[in-house]
Every structure is written in C-alpha cells, then in structure tokens.
Amino acid sequence: TVVAVVLAVRAVWRMVAVIRLGQPDPSRFVGKSVRLRRMLAETFGHTRMLKWSVVGAAHWFVMVAFIVLSLLVLEAYFEVVDPHAGLPIVGGWAVYGLATEVIGVFGLAGIAVLITIRLVNRPTRPAGRSRFTGSTMWQGYFVEWVIVAVLVCGFVIRGFKTATGHMPWPAWAAPVSHALGDLLPASEAGLSIVAAVKIVVSMTWLITIATNLTMGVAWHRFAAFVNIFFKRDPARPAGSGLGAVKPMTSGGKLLDFEEADPDKDQFGVAAVEQFSWKGLLDFTTCTECGRCQSQCPAWNTGKPLSPKLLILSLRDHAYAKAPYLLADTNSDHSTVDALALAEAQRPLIGGADEQGVIDPDVLWSCTTCGACVEQCPVDIEHVDHIVDMRRYQVLIESAFPSEAGVMLRNLENKGNPWGAPPNTREDWTKTLDFDIKRADAETKFEYLYWVGCAAAFEDRAKKTARAVATLLHQAGVDFAILGEGETCTGDPARRLGNEFVFQMLAAQNVETLTEANVTKIVASCPHCFNTLANEYPQLGLTNVHVVHHTQLLADLVTTGKLTPVQPLPGTITYHDPCYLGRHNRVFTPPRQLLTTTTATGITEMPRNQERSFCCGAGGARMWMEERIGKRINTERVDEALHTGATTIAVSCPFCHTMINDGVTGKGANDHVEVVDVATVLLRSVKAEA
C-alpha cells in the first residue's frame, strides 16, 4: 500500500507537470458555477454517456461501484486484521449494507455488460471495423477484471461474515451475501485471506496505472471530472467544442494579425507543447472508448483519420517528449533519456519517412463535422486541435492540398470560393417577379437575407435562394439583401486553417452589417449561419439574431403566414447538415416543414439528427479531392437510397451538391430527387393557386 500510494502521488505530480507544459488559456476559468453544474450533471447524471443507453446505464453503475469500492477497500484493512471488524460508525448501519449490496450487484452486472461489449467488438473480429481498433486492449481488460475481482471479493467477505455469524445486517439488507454465506464454511481465516486478496488486487491496480501515465482507460476516472469542468463552453447544450472554432491565440491572448510577429507569436500549433494546457489534459483524459472513431465519416470510409488514434498519438508523443521538455532549459540535455531526445526531434506533422507524429493525410481528411466531439463522453475537443495544427501548416509552412490553394486565392481576390465575378452576386434574382430591397444605412427592413456564395453562384443552390426569397415575399416578411456588398463569411478559410483570410473577410462583413444597421439575419447556408451566429461575435458583431431559413419558414407556417395545402407525392427522407444539426442543434424546424408538406411523413435514415453522417464537404473539403477510400457522399447516399425514399431533402447548399453528385454517381437521379426543404415547401404552398 505504501509503495502504491507513493507511486500514485508521483504519477499525479508528473502528469500535472506535463499538462502545465501547455500554453495558457485564461478563458477556462470563467463561469466556475456553470462549469461545476455542468460537470456534476455530465458525470453523475451521465448525460453524454446515456446517448448510448445500454452502455451508459452499465457504465453509470460501474462508476458508482468504483466510488463505493474505495470504502470497501478501506473496510478490508480492518477485516484483514480482525474478521469481526468493519468500518467505524456506518459499518453497522443496515442502510449502508443495503446500499452497498445493491451497488455491488448492479456494478457486477454493469461490468459484465461492458466486458461483453468489448469482447463482441474486439478489433480482431472478422466483420467490420471496431471502435476499439487502436485501443490498448490489455489495459481495458485489466481494469474491467480488477473491478470484477474486487466486487466478487466484497461479496465473498460478506458471505464469510454470514457463515461465521459476524454479519451485522439482516437478510433483507444483504440478501446476496446471506445466500452466499449459506454456501461458505464458517472460516474467519478465509475472511481475512480474501480481504488481503482484495487489498493486493486493488494496490496492484494502483501500481500498474501509476507506472503507466498514458493508461487513459484507468486515469480518465479521475481526469474526466477536471476535463469536463474546464470544457470550452459549458453553457452549450451539447459538446462544447462544437459551433465556433476556438479563436487563434498566442500565449493565452487573442492573436491580433495587425500586430502579430511570426518570429515571436505562435501561429497555430507546430509542436505538442504549443497546445494549450487544456489540450494536453484532453490527450491525458482519453479513455480509448472509440465512440468518436465509430462515428467519424473519414474513418468509416477508409480514410487514415481516426479522432481517437489522433488523440492517442498526441498523448503518447507528449509524454514521451516530456522528459526533454521538463529538463533544465539551460542544460545541453545530455542527461535526458535518448528516447525522449529522439521524440523531441520528430515533427508534429509529417509522413512516415519524416517520422511525423500525425500524417498529413490524417490532418486533411477531417471534415470538421463534429461527430467526434458530439460523442466524446469526456468532452475532448478534437476539431479545435485539428484546426490549430492546420493553422500552422497553412500560415507558416504553406503545406496544404494544392486544390485548396485555388479556393483561398479566390476568396482573397473575388470574395467567394468559386472565383466568380462579384458583380454577378445578384444574378439569381433576375427571374423573380418581385423586387428585393438592398440593405444600406438608409433602407429599413426586418431581416437581412444572407444569401451566401453557393446560392449566389452555384446553379442548384440558386433555386434554393429563389425559393426562400419567394416564400418570404409571400409571407409578407420585410427583408433585404446585401447584393454585391456581401462576401464570403470566411468559413472554409478558417476551417482550412487560414485564420488571416478569415479575419480579413469577417472584418469586412462585420463593418458592412454594422453600417446597414442589421439586427436580424436569415441564412440559407448552415456554414454561413454558424459563422455569423457563433464566430462573428468574437469580432464585434453583437446583438444580431441569426436564424436558418428552415427556422424562419417553420415559424411562418406555425403562425399561418404560409399554408402548405397540397401534400407532395412519394416518400421523403431528410439529411441533417452537420453545421445546422449537430453543431447548432437545429433538428425540429426542417422536420416540421417536411411533415406538413408530405402525406407519408419522413422516412428517417438510421444515422440522423446528432448522429447524422456527414456529406463530406465541411472543413473546406468541398474544394479538396477525395482520393483515399470510399467517397463520404457515396456512403451517405447509399444510406439514403436504402430508405426507398423518392426525395432526399437537404437544407445546406454543400449537402445539396454532395448528395446530388452521389445520387448521379449511383445512376439513381432518374427516380430520386435531391431538393432543399425550402423548395419542398414552395411547391406545397404554390399548389394553393
């Protein structure tokens, strides 16, 4: 026990030292009361774990059993010396006996479920890709069987107490223990021996994890409380790493590009110690459960990216490099372990020949869909870390897929990713039979319709823009557009890693919106919607209410300003865009609109709402070739076609393009239509005439 405690204290000390190597992040200490409430809700309420109900329920009982195990192990120290002894004060209470008995029974049932799930989903199984692929399996089995051993020892000890007549509680308070006592001999020596075994097993577990600092499957039960407390935005109803991307900082302060010096300031992340201390805590906390991996569109289509394996690679690298980083900076590092010196020489991003920690194909496979962040039970912020690494690659190394460079040049020169002439932004309005106001300082209007680049320049998306404008006009909504005054929000640039271009575009748009006295915005593109609502406030656009067009249209239908009268024929399925659904929790309005316009209702795909499968266009992937594995949009289209729906409804221009291309590639475009929710509504409303 003494050895175990000394090693555990040393391990925690070293772990804290590694985490403190990270950069400052003062924002993590704001709103402590909100953080505390969220942490208690997520841990003891298991609000995130219970998204997978069976696993979540089993894990809750195991967690509670583990907490109680500390009392039972403490009790064993009394029992190993004196078979008659127990915990002082509470040890004789029948309610204590009942509570621990129930927790022990359900804890055993819970751990049996978790062991079974791990065995059924083992990486070596013949079919499918396991969420445990890449996890350190022996550590998982070790932790699980230690819990089984300690709980079983607890029941055996109580059985011996019953057999020897030392059981302090009646049968109703400890029915399992009493039943076991009927089978065991009356042996006080047996009781003390089992108590000793329980102590040895428990201390073996503590010594094992104390000598394995990267054993996240064990350490997460301590680190998770801290990691959840310090999540980026505890007020968000879902993953705090969703919505806005973490602002670019240097030394814990927001980076001002007008004053920034590349020789002094940090531009993204080039080395593991340049992550914030919360990033290093993220890496430490990963429990290797693989939920993120199971939901990742890149991993599911044969790409090299696994959010779990990325985090584990960063964790292992951080702890392997730590002796070098923690050494006296004035020394020549001659006393540092050779392995740590070798680890320090590895580039953070690099191919196999460069011995990079993260392969470039891994970094650029991410669509920033947020499925990993959504599923992570300990609030690891994968997308933020990926974008931070991209920032350095783009801004300093200029190392990124070449086709993305064309998109960036178009943004800088033309203000849109397609490179279309800015004076054609209003061409989509030419076929409308009504006029639309142009927003400026003198014009009064209620809503600014943010059209977005896709709807202004891409033919299929133009239909959506015309449908939205027509519906708003029919409903009597007082709206205006910026026309040529609108430019790209900068979403693709920011998620690619080019924060400079993002801030240049964003500053221009914020100035334009402020001058036009905009107070309400309706956007058709979820990426524009997310950027305007969640990221522009970082740059000074405050007190502006931003909605997606499905939200406004659903409200107009609810209030009777629009009335669908003719149900559309056929069956329909709906694809949730990542940046509308998962990132911003807009699930109901699109479904309300589709339900009111169809006779058969919506045939949902298996992966929907917060578990929706990405179309493959996010994270600037819209402008990058997909050369590895199966195309993500093809995977999603396969799922949509499997529903048998004749219409696939979308509410994002990127999704429209990707899903439509997938349908065409499958040769199904002659009997399956891809259409925006606004167009579906317009067809139903127009039937009134």
Side-chain angles (χ1 to χ4, degrees), residues 179 218 333 642:
H333 293 103
H642 190 70

Side-chain angles (χ1 to χ4, degrees), residues 38 50 57 81 98 126 134 159 171 205 220 272 306-307 431 442 461 590 603 625 668:
R38 179 63 65 182
L50 286 170
V81 176
L98 178 62
W205 174 83
H220 85 276
V272 72
S306 157
T431 58
E442 287 75 35
T603 303
E625 289 298 323

Side-chain angles (χ1 to χ4, degrees), residues 17-85:
V18 172
I19 292 168
R20 291 184 64 186
L21 288 169
Q23 300 303 303
D25 191 349
S27 66
R28 305 288 178 169
F29 297 92
V30 177
K32 293 180 181 177
S33 61
V34 176
R35 293 181 180 279
L36 180 61
R37 289 195 299 271
R38 179 63 65 182
M39 183 269 287
L40 293 174
E42 286 194 21
T43 52
F44 294 104
H46 259 42
T47 53
R48 294 175 69 77
M49 283 295 298
L50 286 170
K51 290 179 179 179
W52 293 23
S53 54
V54 174
V55 177
H59 189 275
W60 187 87
F61 284 112
V62 171
M63 180 195 73
V64 174
F66 177 80
I67 294 172
V68 173
L69 283 180
S70 60
L71 286 176
L72 300 181
V73 172
L74 176 61
E75 191 174 38
Y77 284 93
F78 294 91
E79 295 162 340
V80 76
V81 176
D82 181 2
H84 301 181

Side-chain angles (χ1 to χ4, degrees), residues 28 48 227 231-232 239-246 269 275-276 278-297 305-315 349 358 362-391 495 579 582-583:
R28 305 288 178 169
R48 294 175 69 77
N227 206 53
K231 63 163 65 181
R232 173 151 61 89
S240 73
L242 296 173
V245 166
K246 185 172 70 72
V269 169
F275 287 104
S276 72
K278 174 56 169 63
L280 294 176
L281 179 59
D282 271 358
F283 310 153
T284 301
T285 308
C286 179
T287 183
E288 305 188 24
C289 67
R291 285 189 177 204
C292 57
Q293 183 171 286
S294 72
Q295 303 297 303
C296 177
L305 168 64
S306 157
K308 178 188 72 177
L309 298 180
L310 179 139
I311 294 296
L312 297 186
S313 296
L314 293 172
R315 179 197 69 188
I349 306 298
I358 304 297
V362 170
L363 187 67
W364 298 110
S365 292
C366 180
T367 66
T368 69
C369 71
C372 50
V373 179
E374 171 73 35
Q375 290 298 329
C376 182
V378 294
D379 279 304
I380 292 172
E381 296 157 5
H382 313 71
V383 173
D384 284 345
H385 305 320
I386 289 172
V387 171
D388 267 341
M389 289 186 285
R390 285 182 171 186
R391 283 166 169 164
R495 278 148 187 80
Y579 273 84
R582 184 159 43 243
H583 278 279

Side-chain angles (χ1 to χ4, degrees), residues 11 49 66 72 83 95 105 139 171 195 213 366 374 388 393 434 470 501 517 536 550 567 582 607 615 624 665 681:
M49 283 295 298
F66 177 80
L72 300 181
V95 67
V105 170
Q139 295 180 354
L213 299 189
C366 180
E374 171 73 35
D388 267 341
Q393 294 300 305
F434 57 90
T470 301
V501 171
N517 300 313
Y536 276 22
T550 57
R582 184 159 43 243
R607 292 178 287 198
C615 74
M624 290 184 261
L681 177 62

